[in-house]
Amino acid sequence: MRPFVHLNVAMTADGKIDTVERRGAAISSAADKERVDRLRAQADAVMVGGRTLLDEDPKLTIKNESLRAARVARGLPPNPAKIGVVTNAALQPGAKFLTAGPARIVIFTSERTSKNQLEWLRSNGAQVFVHAGQRVDLEAMMATLKVEGINRLLVEGGGTLNFELLRRGLVDEVTAYLAPMIFGGANAPTLADGLGAGRDEAIPLKLEQVNALDDGGIHVRYSVLRKHSD
Ligand SMILES: NC(=O)c1ccc[n+]([C@@H]2O[C@H](COP(=O)([O-])OP(=O)(O)OC[C@H]3O[C@@H](n4cnc5c(N)ncnc54)[C@H](OP(=O)(O)O)[C@@H]3O)[C@@H](O)[C@H]2O)c1
């Protein structure tokens, strides 16, 4: 058993989710930021990959106070849980990922993370799962999340984590905001990076919805046709 997994990105018309500089370039419009806030409000947890976590230190909280209040009225915590998937965790004191909230913090990592870091994360209230092997075992992680009460998971990048989840059939829905601009750059991150799939292994999608926005951007929603449900 695993949660329902929704992957969301903001990308340029050429499919880039950042520039070649990899400094977390702004891509979303104001309307898209509001949509992402609503997506977070519907989620039990929001997840990011290790590079996004360590390089950008995202807050991942809900910005709109009334969305937080509505969750509390439904008996939920004000913010969804924040989940980091990181091979070698090296979070710093004062990291916004840990402190912005209140929110439950969950870290999935490998044995490459130092004992000191594991102890420090736990003493700061994070729930930490350490997997044997080179990387986090994404299937095992999903099963753990389900047991931990996460039924609806929002994945917010980056491209490496996105591709691994898609490749393993662990994504149910993909949404994207296509901003009216082009970054270019062969090494700029895209919606799905990693090793890539051959044509025969391409991940099939079904177009569910397309909306053109007043800001010149496009919202698109796909369901993933090849996935593992358990
Ligand atoms: N526009 C958007 O919507 C958006 C959203 C988020 C991020 N971004 C951008 O995406 C870029 C970062 O993406 P990224 O691809 O470099 O990194 P990422 O997907 O954020 O993080 C991937 C990291 O997770 C670790 N990991 C652990 N277990 C894994 C597993 N089983 N499968 C895959 N990864 C695993 C990997 O570490 P090891 O390789 O060390 O094993 C890898 O470095 C940044 O430029 C950021 O700005 C854009």
Side-chain angles (χ1 to χ4, degrees):
M1 292 285 281
R2 65 169 177 82
F4 181 89
V5 178
H6 176 174
L7 191 160
N8 182 67
V9 297
M11 63 187 194
T12 58
D14 55 334
K16 308 296 186 188
I17 62 170
D18 199 356
T19 65
V20 285
E21 295 172 316
R22 291 179 172 263
R23 291 200 199 132
I27 297 174
S28 284
S29 63
D32 186 53
K33 284 182 184 158
E34 286 174 19
R35 183 189 63 104
V36 172
D37 224 25
R38 291 194 296 275
L39 293 181
R40 288 181 184 171
Q42 290 161 10
D44 297 317
V46 181
M47 173 181 287
V48 288
R51 275 192 77 174
T52 303
L53 172 62
L54 298 177
D55 294 354
E56 286 169 31
D57 188 21
K59 288 185 185 166
L60 301 180
T61 48
I62 298 169
K63 308 294 177 278
N64 182 314
E65 198 180 327
S66 44
L67 288 175
R68 289 197 304 270
R71 282 176 59 98
V72 172
R74 284 188 281 145
L76 298 172
N79 290 294
K82 305 185 205 180
I83 304 180
V85 181
V86 51
T87 302
N88 186 356
L91 283 90
Q92 301 293 324
K96 295 195 284 286
F97 177 83
L98 297 176
T99 56
R104 179 180 174 187
I105 308 291
V106 186
I107 304 278
F108 287 89
T109 188
S110 75
E111 289 167 333
R112 276 176 56 192
T113 295
S114 72
K115 296 266 181 299
N116 280 351
Q117 171 84 179
L118 295 176
E119 269 171 35
W120 178 76
L121 286 169
R122 287 181 174 130
S123 68
N124 277 275
Q127 223 178 331
V128 185
F129 295 91
V130 183
H131 289 185
Q134 292 297 304
R135 276 182 150 185
V136 173
D137 178 337
L138 299 177
E139 280 88 357
M141 174 189 79
M142 288 297 180
T144 301
L145 288 175
K146 185 74 180 173
V147 170
E148 289 289 323
I150 307 300
N151 293 313
R152 200 178 164 89
L153 174 65
L154 177 66
V155 177
E156 295 199 28
T160 305
L161 178 65
N162 290 350
F163 177 72
E164 274 305 306
L165 292 171
L166 286 161
R167 183 173 78 82
R168 291 163 189 273
L170 297 173
V171 179
D172 298 284
E173 187 173 81
V174 176
T175 55
Y177 171 71
L178 262 80
M181 59 173 124
I182 286 175
F183 285 161
N187 294 323
T190 72
L191 187 157
D193 292 326
L195 292 175
R199 179 63 190 91
D200 292 346
E201 290 83 43
I203 295 136
L205 304 175
K206 177 171 179 276
L207 181 64
E208 300 285 358
Q209 205 177 358
V210 184
N211 292 330
L213 277 74
D214 292 342
D215 58 42
I218 295 169
H219 277 148
V220 60
R221 180 163 66 88
Y222 297 100
S223 51
V224 181
L225 294 181
R226 195 180 66 225
K227 58 194 177 192
H228 294 297
S229 308
D230 48 13

